[in-house]
Amino acid sequence: RASEALQKVLTRENKELCTQIESLQQRHEGAVQPIHEKAKCLQGDNDILQQELKRTAQAMEELQLRQDERVRELGEQVQALKAAEEGLQQRNRTLSTENADLRRLLREAGYAE
């Protein structure tokens, strides 16, 4: 009889423990489900942000390439302008020398100041 009573107590306690375990599992699932859903949303947001970052990086790279090309073009234009300026300065020096020579010849010929 003691054995049967003990068996009944153990069976009842086992059922109570099983009920508590099921209850805890349901609460766990209830608590975990929103977390999983939030994690999925966050992963989706992260994927979108990664794509946007990639597009932004590509756009920045394209802008940098265009800027580098423009700087190169402007550098070439500056070099061309410097060369033209040097040519004009040389021409100015030549004309000044010719003008001075003509004035000297006119003076020597008696036609000038």
Short mmCIF file of all heavy atoms in Angstrom, two decimals, residues 23-83:
data_model
loop_
_atom_site.label_atom_id
_atom_site.label_comp_id
_atom_site.label_asym_id
_atom_site.label_seq_id
_atom_site.Cartn_x
_atom_site.Cartn_y
_atom_site.Cartn_z
N SER A 23 3.67 24.65 -19.61
CA SER A 23 3.36 26.06 -19.39
C SER A 23 4.59 26.93 -19.65
O SER A 23 4.52 27.97 -20.31
CB SER A 23 2.86 26.26 -17.97
OG SER A 23 2.66 27.63 -17.71
N LEU A 24 5.73 26.48 -19.13
CA LEU A 24 6.98 27.23 -19.36
C LEU A 24 7.36 27.25 -20.83
O LEU A 24 7.82 28.27 -21.35
CB LEU A 24 8.11 26.63 -18.52
CG LEU A 24 8.05 26.90 -17.02
CD1 LEU A 24 9.12 26.09 -16.30
CD2 LEU A 24 8.21 28.38 -16.73
N GLN A 25 7.14 26.10 -21.52
CA GLN A 25 7.46 26.05 -22.95
C GLN A 25 6.57 27.02 -23.72
O GLN A 25 7.04 27.72 -24.63
CB GLN A 25 7.30 24.63 -23.48
CG GLN A 25 8.40 23.69 -23.07
CD GLN A 25 8.16 22.24 -23.51
OE1 GLN A 25 7.03 21.81 -23.68
NE2 GLN A 25 9.27 21.50 -23.66
N GLN A 26 5.29 27.08 -23.37
CA GLN A 26 4.38 27.99 -24.05
C GLN A 26 4.76 29.44 -23.79
O GLN A 26 4.76 30.27 -24.70
CB GLN A 26 2.93 27.73 -23.60
CG GLN A 26 2.37 26.43 -24.12
CD GLN A 26 1.00 26.11 -23.52
OE1 GLN A 26 0.51 26.83 -22.66
NE2 GLN A 26 0.40 25.02 -23.99
N ARG A 27 5.10 29.74 -22.54
CA ARG A 27 5.53 31.11 -22.22
C ARG A 27 6.83 31.44 -22.95
O ARG A 27 7.00 32.56 -23.46
CB ARG A 27 5.70 31.26 -20.71
CG ARG A 27 4.36 31.33 -20.01
CD ARG A 27 4.39 31.67 -18.54
NE ARG A 27 5.66 31.92 -17.89
CZ ARG A 27 5.92 31.62 -16.62
NH1 ARG A 27 5.00 31.04 -15.88
NH2 ARG A 27 7.08 31.90 -16.10
N HIS A 28 7.72 30.46 -23.01
CA HIS A 28 8.98 30.66 -23.73
C HIS A 28 8.71 30.95 -25.20
O HIS A 28 9.25 31.91 -25.76
CB HIS A 28 9.87 29.42 -23.57
CG HIS A 28 11.10 29.47 -24.42
ND1 HIS A 28 12.18 30.26 -24.11
CD2 HIS A 28 11.43 28.82 -25.58
CE1 HIS A 28 13.11 30.11 -25.03
NE2 HIS A 28 12.68 29.24 -25.92
N GLU A 29 7.88 30.13 -25.81
CA GLU A 29 7.54 30.33 -27.22
C GLU A 29 6.86 31.68 -27.42
O GLU A 29 7.13 32.38 -28.39
CB GLU A 29 6.65 29.19 -27.73
CG GLU A 29 7.39 27.88 -27.88
CD GLU A 29 6.46 26.71 -28.22
OE1 GLU A 29 5.29 26.95 -28.54
OE2 GLU A 29 6.94 25.56 -28.17
N GLY A 30 5.97 32.03 -26.50
CA GLY A 30 5.29 33.32 -26.57
C GLY A 30 6.25 34.48 -26.46
O GLY A 30 6.08 35.52 -27.09
N ALA A 31 7.27 34.31 -25.65
CA ALA A 31 8.26 35.38 -25.47
C ALA A 31 9.26 35.41 -26.62
O ALA A 31 9.70 36.49 -27.04
CB ALA A 31 9.00 35.18 -24.15
N VAL A 32 9.59 34.25 -27.14
CA VAL A 32 10.61 34.16 -28.20
C VAL A 32 10.04 34.59 -29.56
O VAL A 32 10.75 35.20 -30.36
CB VAL A 32 11.20 32.74 -28.25
CG1 VAL A 32 12.04 32.53 -29.49
CG2 VAL A 32 12.02 32.46 -27.00
N GLN A 33 8.78 34.30 -29.81
CA GLN A 33 8.18 34.60 -31.12
C GLN A 33 8.33 36.08 -31.51
O GLN A 33 8.79 36.38 -32.59
CB GLN A 33 6.71 34.16 -31.13
CG GLN A 33 6.03 34.33 -32.47
CD GLN A 33 6.66 33.48 -33.56
OE1 GLN A 33 7.20 32.42 -33.30
NE2 GLN A 33 6.61 33.97 -34.78
N PRO A 34 7.95 37.02 -30.63
CA PRO A 34 8.13 38.43 -31.01
C PRO A 34 9.59 38.80 -31.24
O PRO A 34 9.91 39.62 -32.09
CB PRO A 34 7.55 39.21 -29.82
CG PRO A 34 6.71 38.26 -29.06
CD PRO A 34 7.25 36.90 -29.35
N ILE A 35 10.46 38.15 -30.47
CA ILE A 35 11.90 38.43 -30.65
C ILE A 35 12.35 37.95 -32.02
O ILE A 35 13.08 38.66 -32.73
CB ILE A 35 12.72 37.76 -29.52
CG1 ILE A 35 12.39 38.43 -28.18
CG2 ILE A 35 14.21 37.82 -29.82
CD1 ILE A 35 12.96 37.74 -26.97
N HIS A 36 11.90 36.77 -32.44
CA HIS A 36 12.25 36.26 -33.77
C HIS A 36 11.69 37.17 -34.86
O HIS A 36 12.37 37.46 -35.85
CB HIS A 36 11.72 34.83 -33.95
CG HIS A 36 12.52 33.79 -33.24
ND1 HIS A 36 13.85 33.57 -33.48
CD2 HIS A 36 12.18 32.88 -32.29
CE1 HIS A 36 14.30 32.59 -32.71
NE2 HIS A 36 13.30 32.16 -31.97
N GLU A 37 10.45 37.63 -34.67
CA GLU A 37 9.85 38.52 -35.66
C GLU A 37 10.61 39.83 -35.74
O GLU A 37 10.87 40.34 -36.83
CB GLU A 37 8.38 38.77 -35.31
CG GLU A 37 7.50 37.55 -35.52
CD GLU A 37 6.07 37.75 -35.04
OE1 GLU A 37 5.70 38.90 -34.72
OE2 GLU A 37 5.34 36.75 -34.97
N LYS A 38 10.99 40.38 -34.59
CA LYS A 38 11.76 41.63 -34.57
C LYS A 38 13.12 41.41 -35.22
O LYS A 38 13.60 42.27 -35.98
CB LYS A 38 11.93 42.11 -33.11
CG LYS A 38 12.65 43.42 -32.98
CD LYS A 38 11.84 44.57 -33.53
CE LYS A 38 12.53 45.89 -33.28
NZ LYS A 38 11.85 47.00 -33.90
N ALA A 39 13.73 40.25 -34.96
CA ALA A 39 15.03 39.94 -35.57
C ALA A 39 14.91 39.87 -37.09
O ALA A 39 15.78 40.36 -37.81
CB ALA A 39 15.58 38.63 -35.02
N LYS A 40 13.81 39.28 -37.59
CA LYS A 40 13.60 39.22 -39.04
C LYS A 40 13.45 40.62 -39.61
O LYS A 40 14.02 40.93 -40.66
CB LYS A 40 12.35 38.39 -39.36
CG LYS A 40 12.53 36.91 -39.20
CD LYS A 40 11.23 36.18 -39.54
CE LYS A 40 11.33 34.69 -39.23
NZ LYS A 40 10.06 34.00 -39.50
N CYS A 41 12.68 41.46 -38.93
CA CYS A 41 12.51 42.84 -39.38
C CYS A 41 13.85 43.58 -39.40
O CYS A 41 14.17 44.29 -40.36
CB CYS A 41 11.53 43.59 -38.48
SG CYS A 41 9.83 43.07 -38.67
N LEU A 42 14.61 43.41 -38.32
CA LEU A 42 15.92 44.07 -38.25
C LEU A 42 16.86 43.57 -39.34
O LEU A 42 17.62 44.35 -39.92
CB LEU A 42 16.53 43.86 -36.86
CG LEU A 42 15.84 44.60 -35.72
CD1 LEU A 42 16.46 44.18 -34.38
CD2 LEU A 42 15.92 46.09 -35.90
N GLN A 43 16.80 42.27 -39.62
CA GLN A 43 17.65 41.72 -40.68
C GLN A 43 17.24 42.32 -42.03
O GLN A 43 18.08 42.67 -42.84
CB GLN A 43 17.55 40.20 -40.72
CG GLN A 43 18.49 39.57 -41.74
CD GLN A 43 19.95 39.90 -41.47
OE1 GLN A 43 20.43 39.74 -40.37
NE2 GLN A 43 20.66 40.37 -42.49
N GLY A 44 15.92 42.45 -42.23
CA GLY A 44 15.44 43.08 -43.47
C GLY A 44 15.91 44.52 -43.57
O GLY A 44 16.37 44.95 -44.63
N ASP A 45 15.80 45.26 -42.46
CA ASP A 45 16.29 46.64 -42.45
C ASP A 45 17.78 46.69 -42.72
O ASP A 45 18.26 47.54 -43.47
CB ASP A 45 16.00 47.30 -41.08
CG ASP A 45 14.52 47.54 -40.85
OD1 ASP A 45 13.73 47.40 -41.80
OD2 ASP A 45 14.15 47.85 -39.69
N ASN A 46 18.51 45.76 -42.12
CA ASN A 46 19.95 45.70 -42.32
C ASN A 46 20.29 45.43 -43.78
O ASN A 46 21.19 46.05 -44.34
CB ASN A 46 20.56 44.63 -41.41
CG ASN A 46 22.07 44.63 -41.48
OD1 ASN A 46 22.70 45.68 -41.37
ND2 ASN A 46 22.65 43.47 -41.68
N ASP A 47 19.55 44.51 -44.40
CA ASP A 47 19.79 44.20 -45.81
C ASP A 47 19.56 45.44 -46.67
O ASP A 47 20.35 45.73 -47.58
CB ASP A 47 18.88 43.06 -46.27
CG ASP A 47 19.23 41.72 -45.63
OD1 ASP A 47 20.34 41.61 -45.05
OD2 ASP A 47 18.39 40.80 -45.68
N ILE A 48 18.48 46.16 -46.38
CA ILE A 48 18.18 47.38 -47.14
C ILE A 48 19.29 48.41 -46.95
O ILE A 48 19.76 49.03 -47.91
CB ILE A 48 16.81 47.96 -46.71
CG1 ILE A 48 15.69 47.04 -47.18
CG2 ILE A 48 16.61 49.37 -47.25
CD1 ILE A 48 14.33 47.36 -46.59
N LEU A 49 19.73 48.58 -45.70
CA LEU A 49 20.80 49.54 -45.43
C LEU A 49 22.10 49.15 -46.12
O LEU A 49 22.83 50.00 -46.64
CB LEU A 49 21.03 49.67 -43.92
CG LEU A 49 19.93 50.40 -43.15
CD1 LEU A 49 20.20 50.33 -41.65
CD2 LEU A 49 19.83 51.84 -43.59
N GLN A 50 22.39 47.86 -46.14
CA GLN A 50 23.60 47.39 -46.84
C GLN A 50 23.53 47.72 -48.32
O GLN A 50 24.52 48.15 -48.92
CB GLN A 50 23.79 45.88 -46.63
CG GLN A 50 24.19 45.49 -45.22
CD GLN A 50 25.53 46.07 -44.80
OE1 GLN A 50 26.44 46.23 -45.60
NE2 GLN A 50 25.64 46.42 -43.53
N GLN A 51 22.36 47.52 -48.92
CA GLN A 51 22.19 47.84 -50.34
C GLN A 51 22.35 49.34 -50.57
O GLN A 51 23.00 49.76 -51.53
CB GLN A 51 20.82 47.38 -50.83
CG GLN A 51 20.67 45.88 -50.90
CD GLN A 51 19.24 45.44 -51.17
OE1 GLN A 51 18.33 46.25 -51.26
NE2 GLN A 51 19.04 44.13 -51.30
N GLU A 52 21.76 50.14 -49.68
CA GLU A 52 21.89 51.59 -49.80
C GLU A 52 23.34 52.03 -49.63
O GLU A 52 23.82 52.91 -50.35
CB GLU A 52 21.00 52.30 -48.79
CG GLU A 52 19.52 52.19 -49.11
CD GLU A 52 18.63 52.88 -48.08
OE1 GLU A 52 19.14 53.65 -47.24
OE2 GLU A 52 17.41 52.64 -48.12
N LEU A 53 24.03 51.42 -48.68
CA LEU A 53 25.45 51.74 -48.49
C LEU A 53 26.26 51.39 -49.72
O LEU A 53 27.16 52.14 -50.13
CB LEU A 53 26.00 51.00 -47.26
CG LEU A 53 25.62 51.57 -45.91
CD1 LEU A 53 26.03 50.62 -44.79
CD2 LEU A 53 26.27 52.93 -45.70
N LYS A 54 25.95 50.25 -50.32
CA LYS A 54 26.66 49.82 -51.52
C LYS A 54 26.41 50.81 -52.66
O LYS A 54 27.35 51.23 -53.35
CB LYS A 54 26.21 48.41 -51.91
CG LYS A 54 26.99 47.81 -53.04
CD LYS A 54 26.54 46.38 -53.31
CE LYS A 54 27.34 45.77 -54.44
NZ LYS A 54 26.91 44.40 -54.74
N ARG A 55 25.14 51.20 -52.84
CA ARG A 55 24.82 52.18 -53.90
C ARG A 55 25.50 53.51 -53.63
O ARG A 55 26.02 54.15 -54.54
CB ARG A 55 23.30 52.37 -54.01
CG ARG A 55 22.60 51.24 -54.74
CD ARG A 55 21.17 51.63 -55.11
NE ARG A 55 20.33 51.91 -53.96
CZ ARG A 55 19.61 51.02 -53.31
NH1 ARG A 55 19.60 49.76 -53.70
NH2 ARG A 55 18.86 51.37 -52.29
N THR A 56 25.51 53.93 -52.36
CA THR A 56 26.15 55.19 -52.00
C THR A 56 27.65 55.13 -52.27
O THR A 56 28.23 56.08 -52.82
CB THR A 56 25.89 55.52 -50.52
OG1 THR A 56 24.47 55.61 -50.30
CG2 THR A 56 26.54 56.82 -50.11
N ALA A 57 28.26 54.02 -51.91
CA ALA A 57 29.71 53.87 -52.15
C ALA A 57 30.01 53.90 -53.64
O ALA A 57 30.98 54.52 -54.08
CB ALA A 57 30.20 52.56 -51.53
N GLN A 58 29.16 53.25 -54.45
CA GLN A 58 29.37 53.26 -55.89
C GLN A 58 29.20 54.67 -56.45
O GLN A 58 29.99 55.11 -57.29
CB GLN A 58 28.38 52.31 -56.58
CG GLN A 58 28.68 50.84 -56.33
CD GLN A 58 27.58 49.92 -56.84
OE1 GLN A 58 26.44 50.33 -57.03
NE2 GLN A 58 27.93 48.66 -57.03
N ALA A 59 28.17 55.38 -55.96
CA ALA A 59 27.95 56.76 -56.42
C ALA A 59 29.12 57.65 -56.04
O ALA A 59 29.57 58.47 -56.85
CB ALA A 59 26.65 57.30 -55.83
N MET A 60 29.65 57.47 -54.82
CA MET A 60 30.79 58.27 -54.39
C MET A 60 32.02 57.96 -55.24
O MET A 60 32.79 58.86 -55.59
CB MET A 60 31.08 58.01 -52.91
CG MET A 60 30.05 58.64 -51.98
SD MET A 60 30.33 58.27 -50.24
CE MET A 60 31.90 59.05 -49.95
N GLU A 61 32.20 56.69 -55.57
CA GLU A 61 33.33 56.30 -56.41
C GLU A 61 33.20 56.93 -57.80
O GLU A 61 34.17 57.45 -58.34
CB GLU A 61 33.38 54.78 -56.52
CG GLU A 61 34.61 54.27 -57.25
CD GLU A 61 34.69 52.76 -57.28
OE1 GLU A 61 34.10 52.10 -56.40
OE2 GLU A 61 35.36 52.24 -58.18
N GLU A 62 31.98 56.91 -58.35
CA GLU A 62 31.77 57.53 -59.66
C GLU A 62 32.03 59.03 -59.60
O GLU A 62 32.66 59.59 -60.50
CB GLU A 62 30.34 57.26 -60.13
CG GLU A 62 30.08 55.82 -60.51
CD GLU A 62 28.61 55.54 -60.80
OE1 GLU A 62 27.82 56.50 -60.95
OE2 GLU A 62 28.26 54.35 -60.87
N LEU A 63 31.54 59.67 -58.54
CA LEU A 63 31.79 61.11 -58.38
C LEU A 63 33.28 61.40 -58.25
O LEU A 63 33.78 62.37 -58.83
CB LEU A 63 31.05 61.64 -57.15
CG LEU A 63 29.55 61.82 -57.29
CD1 LEU A 63 28.93 62.18 -55.94
CD2 LEU A 63 29.22 62.88 -58.32
N GLN A 64 33.98 60.56 -57.50
CA GLN A 64 35.43 60.75 -57.34
C GLN A 64 36.14 60.61 -58.69
O GLN A 64 37.04 61.39 -59.01
CB GLN A 64 36.00 59.76 -56.33
CG GLN A 64 37.46 59.98 -56.02
CD GLN A 64 37.72 61.30 -55.34
OE1 GLN A 64 37.05 61.65 -54.38
NE2 GLN A 64 38.69 62.05 -55.84
N LEU A 65 35.73 59.61 -59.48
CA LEU A 65 36.33 59.43 -60.80
C LEU A 65 36.07 60.64 -61.69
O LEU A 65 36.98 61.11 -62.39
CB LEU A 65 35.80 58.15 -61.46
CG LEU A 65 36.25 56.83 -60.83
CD1 LEU A 65 35.52 55.65 -61.46
CD2 LEU A 65 37.76 56.66 -60.95
N ARG A 66 34.82 61.14 -61.65
CA ARG A 66 34.50 62.33 -62.46
C ARG A 66 35.28 63.54 -61.98
O ARG A 66 35.77 64.34 -62.80
CB ARG A 66 32.99 62.61 -62.43
CG ARG A 66 32.20 61.62 -63.25
CD ARG A 66 30.83 62.15 -63.64
NE ARG A 66 30.02 62.54 -62.51
CZ ARG A 66 28.94 61.91 -62.08
NH1 ARG A 66 28.53 60.81 -62.69
NH2 ARG A 66 28.25 62.36 -61.07
N GLN A 67 35.40 63.66 -60.65
CA GLN A 67 36.15 64.78 -60.11
C GLN A 67 37.63 64.67 -60.51
O GLN A 67 38.24 65.67 -60.90
CB GLN A 67 36.02 64.82 -58.59
CG GLN A 67 36.74 66.00 -57.96
CD GLN A 67 36.63 66.00 -56.44
OE1 GLN A 67 36.28 65.00 -55.84
NE2 GLN A 67 36.96 67.12 -55.83
N ASP A 68 38.20 63.48 -60.42
CA ASP A 68 39.59 63.28 -60.81
C ASP A 68 39.79 63.64 -62.28
O ASP A 68 40.78 64.28 -62.64
CB ASP A 68 40.02 61.83 -60.56
CG ASP A 68 40.10 61.48 -59.07
OD1 ASP A 68 40.06 62.41 -58.23
OD2 ASP A 68 40.19 60.28 -58.77
N GLU A 69 38.83 63.22 -63.12
CA GLU A 69 38.92 63.53 -64.56
C GLU A 69 38.84 65.04 -64.78
O GLU A 69 39.59 65.59 -65.57
CB GLU A 69 37.79 62.81 -65.31
CG GLU A 69 37.76 63.09 -66.79
CD GLU A 69 39.01 62.63 -67.55
OE1 GLU A 69 39.74 61.76 -67.06
OE2 GLU A 69 39.24 63.18 -68.65
N ARG A 70 37.94 65.69 -64.05
CA ARG A 70 37.78 67.15 -64.19
C ARG A 70 39.05 67.86 -63.72
O ARG A 70 39.50 68.81 -64.37
CB ARG A 70 36.57 67.62 -63.37
CG ARG A 70 36.26 69.07 -63.53
CD ARG A 70 35.74 69.39 -64.93
NE ARG A 70 35.47 70.81 -65.03
CZ ARG A 70 35.86 71.58 -66.02
NH1 ARG A 70 36.47 71.05 -67.06
NH2 ARG A 70 35.59 72.85 -66.03
N VAL A 71 39.63 67.40 -62.62
CA VAL A 71 40.87 68.01 -62.13
C VAL A 71 41.99 67.83 -63.17
O VAL A 71 42.76 68.75 -63.44
CB VAL A 71 41.28 67.39 -60.77
CG1 VAL A 71 42.70 67.75 -60.39
CG2 VAL A 71 40.31 67.85 -59.68
N ARG A 72 42.04 66.64 -63.79
CA ARG A 72 43.05 66.39 -64.82
C ARG A 72 42.84 67.34 -66.00
O ARG A 72 43.78 67.96 -66.50
CB ARG A 72 42.97 64.94 -65.29
CG ARG A 72 44.09 64.54 -66.26
CD ARG A 72 43.86 63.20 -66.90
NE ARG A 72 42.63 63.13 -67.67
CZ ARG A 72 42.45 63.68 -68.88
NH1 ARG A 72 43.41 64.37 -69.44
NH2 ARG A 72 41.29 63.56 -69.51
N GLU A 73 41.56 67.47 -66.43
CA GLU A 73 41.26 68.37 -67.55
C GLU A 73 41.63 69.82 -67.21
O GLU A 73 42.22 70.52 -68.04
CB GLU A 73 39.77 68.30 -67.90
CG GLU A 73 39.35 67.00 -68.55
CD GLU A 73 37.83 66.87 -68.69
OE1 GLU A 73 37.10 67.79 -68.24
OE2 GLU A 73 37.38 65.86 -69.24
N LEU A 74 41.29 70.24 -65.99
CA LEU A 74 41.62 71.61 -65.59
C LEU A 74 43.13 71.80 -65.52
O LEU A 74 43.65 72.86 -65.88
CB LEU A 74 40.98 71.94 -64.24
CG LEU A 74 39.46 72.12 -64.26
CD1 LEU A 74 38.92 72.27 -62.84
CD2 LEU A 74 39.06 73.31 -65.10
N GLY A 75 43.84 70.78 -65.06
CA GLY A 75 45.30 70.85 -65.03
C GLY A 75 45.88 71.02 -66.43
O GLY A 75 46.80 71.82 -66.64
N GLU A 76 45.31 70.28 -67.38
CA GLU A 76 45.75 70.42 -68.77
C GLU A 76 45.46 71.81 -69.30
O GLU A 76 46.28 72.41 -70.01
CB GLU A 76 45.07 69.37 -69.65
CG GLU A 76 45.54 67.95 -69.39
CD GLU A 76 44.73 66.90 -70.15
OE1 GLU A 76 43.77 67.28 -70.86
OE2 GLU A 76 45.07 65.71 -70.04
N GLN A 77 44.28 72.35 -68.96
CA GLN A 77 43.92 73.70 -69.40
C GLN A 77 44.85 74.74 -68.80
O GLN A 77 45.28 75.68 -69.48
CB GLN A 77 42.46 74.01 -69.05
CG GLN A 77 41.46 73.20 -69.86
CD GLN A 77 40.03 73.40 -69.39
OE1 GLN A 77 39.77 74.17 -68.48
NE2 GLN A 77 39.10 72.70 -70.02
N VAL A 78 45.18 74.56 -67.51
CA VAL A 78 46.10 75.49 -66.85
C VAL A 78 47.47 75.43 -67.53
O VAL A 78 48.09 76.48 -67.79
CB VAL A 78 46.22 75.16 -65.34
CG1 VAL A 78 47.42 75.87 -64.71
CG2 VAL A 78 44.94 75.53 -64.61
N GLN A 79 47.95 74.22 -67.84
CA GLN A 79 49.24 74.10 -68.52
C GLN A 79 49.20 74.77 -69.90
O GLN A 79 50.15 75.45 -70.30
CB GLN A 79 49.62 72.61 -68.66
CG GLN A 79 49.99 71.95 -67.35
CD GLN A 79 51.12 72.68 -66.63
OE1 GLN A 79 52.12 73.08 -67.22
NE2 GLN A 79 50.94 72.89 -65.33
N ALA A 80 48.08 74.58 -70.61
CA ALA A 80 47.94 75.21 -71.93
C ALA A 80 47.93 76.74 -71.79
O ALA A 80 48.56 77.45 -72.59
CB ALA A 80 46.66 74.73 -72.61
N LEU A 81 47.22 77.25 -70.77
CA LEU A 81 47.19 78.70 -70.54
C LEU A 81 48.57 79.23 -70.16
O LEU A 81 48.97 80.32 -70.61
CB LEU A 81 46.16 79.04 -69.47
CG LEU A 81 44.69 78.90 -69.87
CD1 LEU A 81 43.79 79.07 -68.66
CD2 LEU A 81 44.34 79.91 -70.96
N LYS A 82 49.29 78.47 -69.34
CA LYS A 82 50.64 78.90 -68.96
C LYS A 82 51.55 78.94 -70.19
O LYS A 82 52.35 79.86 -70.34
CB LYS A 82 51.22 77.97 -67.91
CG LYS A 82 50.65 78.19 -66.53
CD LYS A 82 51.30 77.26 -65.52
CE LYS A 82 50.75 77.49 -64.12
NZ LYS A 82 51.34 76.58 -63.12
N ALA A 83 51.41 77.93 -71.04
CA ALA A 83 52.22 77.91 -72.26
C ALA A 83 51.85 79.09 -73.16
O ALA A 83 52.74 79.74 -73.73
CB ALA A 83 52.01 76.58 -73.00
#
